[in-house]
Structures are given as structure tokens and as C-alpha cells.
Amino acid sequence: KGSAENLSLTATKMKEELRKEIEIGAGVTASVDNSTLKVKGPKGEVKKNFLHPKVKISVENNMVILCAQKATKREKTMVGSFRSHIRNMIHGVKEPYQYKLKICSGHFPMNVSVSGKEVVIKNFLGEAVPRKIKIMPGVEVKVNGEEILVSGSDVEATGQTAARIESACRITNRDRRIFQDGCYIVEKAGSA
């Protein structure tokens, strides 16, 4: 009988109500529509869908609240992930994320430009057809001489755009020690 009581006590401890609060801060507003969180700040706006059957999201007096009834280990990890995403969103609308890429052209002079919603790389390794990379929504790309600046409020979209530019210049079937041409990420958002 004693072991049955201990078992029921550990079962109730395992499944407990989990509530996490994230402070929004001054100058930032947040709203929830179904499971979509919209964060608006002085430097931009970010929307993200947080869909989980057991995790509820709400906004109350300048706080984003994540709540899970009878939370198991799986729900705890989801709440932790959602919390990190929301913190990134709040940080991004206050101060945009920025990635720096360096243009390295050793063999052929490469021409990198932005036209509309695309980054165009001409004359990469002497190719006649230019390489085109789509810029994700909400991301801004600037080319300053030998440097490409990618900035945006959404850390995922900004990082993905920078990665697309870098991977568009990937070289195959050549000696990498000699052919070092390309666009390389030299500075990431959040790390020096």
C-alpha cells in the first residue's frame, strides 16, 4: 500500500501546471490571435505561429504567458522552446539582428548586387549565367564594397537569408585550397 501511495505522489509531481512569464518591455506591443503571436516594436514586426495542443499562450499586462496544464517532460521542453523564440522576437523588434558576409574573389572579379527581392551574383568563377538568391520577407540586404550586410527583426529569416547567400557560392569538384572564391559569413547575430 505504501508503494502505491508513493507511485501516485510521483505521478502527480510529474504532471504539474507549468506557467512561464516573459516580460515584453517598454515600446513593444504583443497580441495573440488563436495560436499566432504578433510582436510589434520600434524597429519592426514579427509574427510566429505557436501551435501545440497542450500549451496555451496569452498576453496579460505587459507579459506573454505560456501555460501548460498537467505538463509532462515533452510539454516542458516545448514551453522552453517557445520561450526562447518569444525572447528572440522581442529582442528583434527592439534591435534588429545583423549578419555580415565577406565577398572573396581571387580568380575572377565577382559582382554582387541587390535587385528587388533577389541578390544577384555575376561572374562567379567566370560563369556566364548569374546566380540569384531570394531574400526572405522582412529581411534587408545591403552591399558595401566587399561586404554584404543582412539585417532583419526575425532571427530565423535573417540567418536563413545569410546562409542562402553563402551556400549559393559553394564550390564543388575543385581544390578548396586554391579556389577560395565565394561569399562567407564572418559575423553572426548574437556572437562576436
Side-chain angles (χ1 to χ4, degrees):
K1 202 172 191 182
S3 63
E5 281 179 24
N6 288 342
L7 191 65
S8 68
L9 280 172
T10 54
T12 55
K13 277 185 181 178
M14 282 174 54
K15 290 188 176 184
E16 56 189 23
E17 185 184 342
L18 186 65
R19 184 183 164 96
K20 296 286 180 186
E21 295 178 350
I22 304 120
E23 194 176 336
I24 296 170
V28 180
T29 57
S31 61
V32 179
D33 182 34
N34 291 335
S35 60
T36 305
L37 178 69
K38 188 177 181 182
V39 179
K40 215 176 200 180
K43 302 281 180 166
E45 181 183 315
V46 183
K47 252 191 210 179
K48 200 172 290 273
N49 194 5
F50 295 101
L51 189 62
H52 193 276
K54 293 186 180 177
V55 179
K56 302 284 180 257
I57 188 166
S58 62
V59 177
E60 293 171 22
N61 50 12
N62 215 22
M63 297 279 229
V64 177
I65 296 162
L66 296 167
C67 193
Q69 300 288 333
K70 294 185 178 178
T72 59
K73 194 175 184 180
R74 200 171 272 166
E75 278 80 47
K76 286 177 186 175
T77 57
M78 285 306 293
V79 167
S81 296
F82 285 0
R83 193 176 176 191
S84 295
H85 284 298
I86 293 165
R87 281 182 179 162
N88 286 341
M89 289 167 74
I90 292 167
H91 180 270
V93 295
K94 287 180 185 173
E95 189 183 317
Y97 292 99
Q98 195 169 39
Y99 283 74
K100 283 183 186 173
L101 290 95
K102 188 168 173 45
I103 302 167
C104 302
S105 52
H107 289 84
F108 294 93
M110 217 176 8
N111 184 4
V112 181
S113 62
V114 179
S115 65
K117 298 275 181 193
E118 285 183 330
V119 176
V120 181
I121 301 169
K122 293 179 183 171
N123 202 34
F124 177 67
L125 293 179
E127 292 175 346
V129 179
R131 295 184 179 203
K132 295 178 181 179
I133 303 101
K134 282 197 163 93
I135 300 170
M136 292 187 82
V139 179
E140 194 179 313
V141 179
K142 290 179 185 171
V143 180
N144 298 331
E146 295 293 305
E147 200 174 60
I148 303 170
L149 291 170
V150 182
S151 61
S153 297
D154 189 358
V155 68
E156 291 168 28
T158 309
Q160 186 61 48
T161 303
R164 282 181 183 178
I165 294 168
E166 187 179 51
S167 64
C169 299
R170 219 180 99 224
I171 299 170
T172 54
N173 302 328
R174 285 189 173 90
D175 191 350
R176 295 287 304 176
R177 293 168 296 178
I178 297 165
F179 291 90
Q180 295 181 355
D181 299 329
C183 302
Y184 300 103
I185 295 172
V186 290
E187 203 176 295
K188 288 185 179 183
S191 62

